[in-house]
Amino acid sequence: MHQPSSVRDPLVTGGKTIADVSHDISRHVENKPAKLWYAAMAVSLALLAFGVYCMCMLLWHGVGVWGLNKTVGWAWDITNFVWWVGIGHAGTLISAILLLFRQKWRMSINRAAEAMTIFAVICAASFPALHMGRLWVGFYWALPLPNAFGSLWVNFNSPLLWDVFAISTYFTVSLVFWYMGLIPDFATIRDRAVRQGAKTRAAIYNALSFGWSGGAKTWMRYESVALILAGLSTPLVLSVHTIVSFDFATSVIPGWHTTIFPPYFVSGAIFSGFAMVLTLLLVTRKVFKLEDYITIWHIELMNIIIIITGSIVGIAYITELFISWYSQVPYEGYAFYNRIQGPYAWAYWSMMTCNVISPQLFWIKKIRTSIAATFILSIIVNIGMWFERFVIIVTSLHRDYVPSSWTMFHPTLYDVGEFILTIGFFFTAFLLFAKFFPVINMAEVKSILKANSERVTHAETAEKGVPVTTDK
Amino acid sequence: MNADKHFILGVFNDEDVLMDAVKKVRGSGVRIHEVFTPFPVHGLDEALGYRRTRLPIAAFLFGLTGTTLALVMQIWMLGYDWPMIIGGKNFASLPPFIPVTFELTVLLSALGMVATFLIVSDMKPYKWPRQFDVRSTDDKHVIAIDLAVNRGKSKDDLARLLREAGAEEVNEKNFED
């Protein structure tokens, strides 16, 4: 019943056995981390500490410490919010949509991508929360809770409120989906700890695994739950960035009032999310020596998604320009003329170069299968997508209807500091995840090992004899 | 009933051999306690004769609860409890209520289903499962046969049956509870 495919490349290379999978992934949890990990952790914590300082200053003095003014009421904060939410989308796309499409290559990358989603959504949510200035009353402003104003309820007609529900649901469901995937792998680590005699670790990972036994009945239910969660997450992830785009699209601001925003934002989100997945995984793969699990083929497939979504984003930019001319609305026309010609033209053209031109390089096979080129381009795409949000938000606001109120936005130390806060948090959380949680979904990878890498297994095990596993 | 539990375990390396073994063992009239595998083996639930899980129904009902709750909450709050004119629209106009309704449907469906899963599978953080063979979360598949429910067969018969079905090892395991 072995079904090696002669058409497709194997998903896992290096002639790995099932025991090798457990060993290769679990050992990072069991062993002391590398020096590089400590170094990266130190940098992330330093960034986080600076960010926390800036956050405290913001909470103490109020949002006035940011560079916002009467004309530009949204700038870095909402730019960062949309940027982070967008980054999160790749994780759900990989784990849910690719599950529904039965794309088995997702299995080596879904765990890390979902972790990225969760941390990115936390980073995103911090911006609207901090923008309220008074976090402690935020609950009453954002949630339909009885209050002392009568009760004056939240406005369910407002896209900003839809955002609260969308982001919190997205976070919760992603967290549950991710954790469900982790349960069998925690049990693997627990049972290895039992065999190694590490009692504390066994107890901790047993608690984390909810006492997983791996019985056939539990697996049956588990698979059913995973499939339904994927089915729920798929419309959810599309709804989240759609609702984020409603924050802009339902307003009457020229440059925001556009019906193409929902699909344009969703594809932009997936575009930037895959770029961030690549940035993180190329490093993780190298540091943790996971080249056999996250192969060049995986990287190539992700780069292909970047070409597709990058091109959709490019078409959206051009469509916006065309419609602003075709509509013959002077305000709309000026908003876009100002984008490409005005004082923020440098931001517009950086966005165009990073998002539309640079991913087209991936049409060349040599570039999309090169690790160095992919790494550099993934960072360029991340920068480009940050500029996209900045361009949409700030250039549409800074020259409004009355020229006397035209102004520029200048970020202060605290605008930058809040961004650094999220960068520091994101990398700190990811490093902790990489140390304490299995970075690859072991159970899923084991299930595809036989069908997909039989050819390699035979060839390579014949060469090196019996595959070596060090602990038994 | 006997306080001690005695099991005989067949350990398998390969999921396809395991599938055939399950069919063979059940075909010879032996009742299998449970099969433990490191990853989901497709078709094993059917081979073991398990009824399809009704978790999808639970998910649907929780989702329906979410939909109802969201609509009732929004219509009551903005339509009756404190009506306000917003953008000249009806007090309780449906289209703007759809996003929140959708999100709460998904939220309750997902959380409710996962909670149901944990409850019906008796999974909780402070519980140690019965560990028949710790290698069953690594790379071995284990068929566990309860001796108490198979009184017609002797230990040796069962061991021979498992070995003939392709088990790499046959072990015994006792639990005191």
Side-chain angles (χ1 to χ4, degrees):
Chain A
M1 282 250 300
H2 299 180
Q3 300 156 331
S5 170
S6 51
V7 189
R8 288 168 193 267
D9 287 328
L11 291 169
V12 177
T13 57
K16 298 291 182 189
T17 63
I18 292 177
D20 288 342
V21 175
S22 305
H23 179 70
D24 288 349
I25 315 300
S26 307
R27 72 192 162 97
H28 299 295
V29 178
E30 289 154 2
N31 299 342
K32 275 221 160 80
K35 282 214 175 65
L36 203 59
W37 185 89
Y38 286 108
M41 196 66 181
V43 175
S44 310
L45 282 174
L47 294 176
L48 183 63
F50 175 69
V52 168
Y53 160 76
C54 292
M55 184 182 78
C56 293
M57 292 297 277
L58 173 100
L59 291 176
W60 187 254
H61 294 287
V63 266
V65 297
W66 279 348
L68 302 175
N69 51 51
K70 266 172 78 177
T71 311
V72 186
W74 280 1
W76 272 53
D77 44 5
I78 306 299
T79 301
N80 295 335
F81 162 69
V82 183
W83 188 69
W84 278 119
V85 179
I87 283 172
H89 277 49
T92 320
L93 183 104
I94 290 170
S95 57
I97 300 186
L98 296 186
L99 186 150
L100 294 182
F101 284 115
R102 299 276 180 240
Q103 293 294 305
K104 292 192 169 166
W105 59 274
R106 78 177 189 279
M107 290 173 176
S108 306
I109 54 173
N110 56 5
R111 171 71 43 77
E114 282 175 58
M116 179 196 78
T117 294
I118 287 155
F119 306 143
V121 174
I122 296 173
C123 291
S126 73
F127 285 101
L130 289 173
H131 199 170
M132 289 190 290
R134 289 187 271 161
L135 279 178
W136 46 98
V137 291
F139 283 110
Y140 288 103
W141 293 353
L143 297 175
L145 295 173
N147 54 54
F149 310 117
S151 296
L152 178 61
W153 302 110
V154 289
N155 179 8
F156 286 105
N157 297 284
S158 163
L160 298 182
L161 185 72
W162 304 344
D163 241 5
V164 173
F165 281 86
I167 301 287
S168 49
T169 301
Y170 183 47
F171 174 74
T172 315
V173 174
S174 301
L175 185 70
V176 166
F177 197 8
W178 180 62
Y179 200 85
M180 282 293 292
L182 277 161
I183 283 177
D185 285 0
F186 283 144
T188 302
I189 295 173
R190 170 198 68 199
D191 290 349
R192 282 170 63 90
V194 169
R195 274 193 278 167
Q196 292 159 355
K199 284 215 173 77
T200 321
R201 198 197 309 139
I204 293 171
Y205 282 93
N206 181 56
L208 287 173
S209 78
F210 279 63
W212 174 264
S213 65
K217 190 166 251 170
T218 320
W219 271 122
M220 175 184 72
R221 292 179 181 137
Y222 175 89
E223 288 234 283
S224 168
V225 168
L227 186 65
I228 295 170
L229 279 179
L232 289 170
S233 301
T234 300
L236 177 65
V237 67
L238 300 179
S239 85
V240 171
H241 228 58
T242 299
I243 291 175
V244 168
S245 81
F246 285 167
D247 291 349
F248 305 99
T250 58
S251 74
V252 288
I253 309 282
W256 289 3
H257 188 64
T258 320
T259 45
I260 62 165
F261 261 25
Y264 157 29
F265 267 50
V266 170
S267 57
I270 292 163
F271 178 57
S272 65
F274 268 86
M276 188 57 104
V277 170
L278 280 166
T279 311
L280 288 176
L281 280 185
L282 288 175
V283 177
T284 313
R285 161 184 198 271
K286 183 86 192 154
V287 174
F288 283 2
K289 300 188 179 62
L290 298 171
E291 284 90 345
D292 285 328
Y293 298 95
I294 302 164
T295 62
I296 297 288
W297 191 53
H298 285 99
I299 294 166
E300 192 182 348
L301 287 170
M302 287 192 265
N303 283 334
I304 290 171
I305 292 184
I306 287 191
I307 305 177
I308 296 166
T309 49
S311 304
I312 297 174
V313 166
I315 289 169
Y317 295 162
I318 295 162
T319 309
E320 275 188 322
L321 291 183
F322 171 76
I323 293 297
S324 76
W325 165 77
Y326 187 70
S327 69
Q328 291 292 305
V329 176
Y331 299 103
E332 197 73 19
Y334 181 73
F336 284 90
Y337 175 79
N338 182 44
R339 262 186 208 178
I340 55 179
Q341 287 280 331
Y344 283 115
W346 57 272
Y348 185 82
W349 293 107
S350 313
M351 165 191 102
M352 275 298 207
T353 317
C354 294
N355 289 352
V356 184
I357 298 164
S358 70
Q360 302 303 325
L361 290 171
F362 281 141
W363 287 103
I364 303 160
K365 183 152 178 125
K366 230 187 192 137
I367 293 181
R368 72 170 181 266
T369 52
S370 151
I371 290 169
T374 305
F375 187 70
I376 293 166
L377 279 170
S378 73
I379 289 172
I380 290 178
V381 167
N382 274 318
I383 296 170
M385 284 308 289
W386 191 89
F387 272 114
E388 180 198 296
R389 279 66 184 250
F390 180 80
V391 164
I392 290 173
I393 294 168
V394 175
T395 67
S396 306
L397 290 175
H398 85 118
R399 288 190 167 176
D400 62 4
Y401 310 96
V402 189
S404 62
S405 63
W406 287 6
T407 181
M408 296 290 283
F409 170 77
H410 299 286
T412 64
L413 174 72
Y414 302 101
D415 282 294
V416 184
E418 242 70 72
F419 185 48
I420 289 175
L421 170 78
T422 51
I423 298 270
F425 170 80
F426 182 75
F427 284 103
T428 306
F430 194 82
L431 285 165
L432 286 173
F433 154 75
K435 167 64 191 82
F436 293 106
F437 287 9
V439 286
I440 285 179
N441 192 327
M442 293 189 272
E444 283 197 338
V445 168
K446 285 172 187 173
S447 74
I448 53 165
L449 212 52
K450 200 165 164 181
N452 289 283
S453 58
E454 197 63 27
R455 191 177 49 183
V456 193
T457 311
H458 275 318
E460 296 197 9
T461 45
E463 211 172 273
K464 69 178 181 189
V466 185
V468 188
T469 44
T470 44
D471 59 297
K472 263 284 129 65
Chain B
M1 286 297 285
N2 196 347
D4 282 12
K5 285 268 196 180
H6 300 287
F7 291 92
I8 191 144
L9 310 175
V11 181
F12 295 79
N13 273 336
D14 187 294
E15 66 261 35
D16 295 322
V17 179
L18 172 85
M19 281 288 279
D20 292 339
V22 167
K23 286 173 195 156
K24 212 174 276 176
V25 169
R26 290 193 76 223
S28 65
V30 173
R31 284 171 66 186
I32 293 175
H33 173 68
E34 182 59 302
V35 179
F36 297 92
T37 59
F39 51 83
V41 176
H42 290 271
L44 190 59
D45 44 343
E46 282 150 44
L48 283 164
Y50 289 156
R51 224 158 34 125
R52 262 179 66 179
T53 168
R54 286 167 296 173
L55 279 167
I57 302 171
F60 177 76
L61 292 179
F62 279 111
L64 207 61
T65 314
T67 316
T68 318
L69 202 73
L71 282 174
V72 168
M73 173 180 77
Q74 295 178 90
I75 292 169
W76 176 73
M77 284 178 180
L78 293 197
Y80 295 94
D81 191 51
W82 189 309
M84 270 193 297
I85 297 171
I86 295 162
K89 307 290 194 306
N90 296 341
F91 293 137
S93 70
L94 209 52
F97 294 170
I98 296 304
V100 170
T101 308
F102 171 76
E103 302 298 336
L104 285 181
T105 305
V106 168
L107 184 69
L108 261 78
S109 177
L111 290 182
M113 174 182 56
V114 170
T116 314
F117 165 75
L118 292 177
I119 292 165
V120 296
S121 308
D122 192 26
M123 285 168 68
K124 34 192 173 278
Y126 49 88
K127 179 194 152 196
W128 269 92
R130 268 195 191 148
Q131 287 183 300
F132 288 89
D133 190 326
V134 285
R135 294 169 302 170
S136 73
T137 55
D138 183 1
D139 63 340
K140 303 287 187 216
H141 306 276
V142 177
I143 296 182
I145 299 173
D146 192 343
L147 288 173
V149 297
N150 290 294
R151 290 199 192 281
K153 307 261 177 189
S154 76
K155 225 181 260 184
D156 295 336
D157 286 345
L158 291 170
R160 200 175 320 113
L161 183 66
L162 284 168
R163 256 186 237 287
E164 275 168 11
E168 310 279 322
E169 292 171 32
V170 176
N171 302 322
E172 275 182 58
K173 185 91 185 175
N174 300 326
F175 292 100
E176 298 167 12
D177 61 302

